[in-house]
Amino acid sequence: GGEWSLGALCTAESRLAAGGDRLYWSDSVPDERYEMLSTSVIFSYDGKRVRREIEGGRYYNPAVGEVDGEERLAVVENRADGSSAVLVFKRGAEGSLLQRDCYVAPSGLPPLEPLWMDGKLYASVMTEQGQGIASVEDDCRLLLEPSNAKINHLFSHDDKIFFTSDKFSVNELFTLDPSDGT
């Protein structure tokens, strides 16, 4: 029904997220007339073709994880009313993504970049005091208090959350143990 030309696989809104046999990313869909009506699409690529997985809203920063042996996809949704949520999808029997959970962020604590670790969902968040890290499934309970430093590129390894931050004026790699906050 059409022709695809692959260039850069992601924009500034998203990095690539790998899960199973697919890569996921978000891309902006600008409105031709009104910037505030722009949306985004979550795409996937399985080595053969690009698919439009989730569209019609403002979805960003996909993260793939496993919960109870099943693959899950988490995305940040920025809503037109100013609220934010982390939506969780699983792949249905026919192959399409089905929304499973919706974690609406408390006012003033929008999620930025989700991360799965050991079946639990975390995210970097923005507050008036700066960025921090929160446990999404625990009503965005803060695990790392906000500061004026950027927090980016979350990933997990050995039961710790790794991230880059410019806390000391240059990007460095940090770890956070969510079990005790160190």
Side-chain angles (χ1 to χ4, degrees):
E3 188 175 303
W4 280 90
S5 175
L6 286 180
L9 291 178
C10 60
T11 65
E13 286 92 7
S14 172
R15 62 186 176 132
L16 293 174
D21 62 350
R22 297 172 198 250
L23 293 174
Y24 296 91
W25 70 96
S26 65
D27 205 352
S28 295
V29 179
D31 185 80
E32 292 180 13
R33 187 164 182 192
Y34 301 108
E35 185 175 341
M36 294 302 290
L37 295 178
S38 297
T39 60
S40 67
V41 176
I42 301 294
F43 287 99
S44 73
Y45 178 65
D46 64 4
K48 297 175 187 163
R49 67 180 259 226
V50 175
R51 290 182 176 83
R52 294 170 84 90
E53 297 280 7
I54 309 167
E55 57 188 318
R58 294 181 182 107
Y59 308 110
Y60 302 98
N61 297 327
V64 181
E66 190 173 297
V67 179
D68 298 327
E70 289 186 320
E71 187 175 288
R72 298 282 194 268
L73 178 70
V75 299
V76 172
E77 178 189 29
N78 294 322
R79 298 173 173 174
D81 66 3
S83 65
S84 298
V86 176
L87 305 179
V88 177
F89 296 85
K90 72 175 188 173
R91 200 155 295 280
E94 71 285 347
S96 63
L97 287 175
L98 307 171
Q99 185 175 327
R100 187 176 187 285
D101 294 306
C102 174
Y103 299 98
V104 178
S107 180
L109 203 64
L112 302 172
E113 185 179 342
L115 165 75
W116 290 100
M117 186 175 77
D118 295 330
K120 295 180 183 159
L121 191 54
Y122 302 93
S124 58
V125 295
M126 179 63 76
T127 72
E128 288 183 9
Q129 293 78 32
Q131 287 183 287
I133 296 178
S135 172
V136 172
E137 297 160 308
D138 295 328
D139 293 323
C140 283
R141 179 179 54 85
L142 287 170
L143 302 173
L144 179 65
E145 289 299 316
S147 72
N148 289 328
K150 292 180 189 174
I151 294 175
N152 295 309
H153 309 112
L154 277 68
F155 67 95
S156 64
H157 182 69
D158 289 339
D159 298 326
K160 291 185 176 58
I161 298 172
F162 285 71
F163 59 95
T164 61
S165 177
D166 62 356
K167 182 174 181 163
F168 300 112
S169 300
V170 64
N171 279 330
E172 296 179 297
L173 184 64
F174 290 84
T175 62
L176 171 68
D177 186 338
S179 67
D180 63 12
T182 57

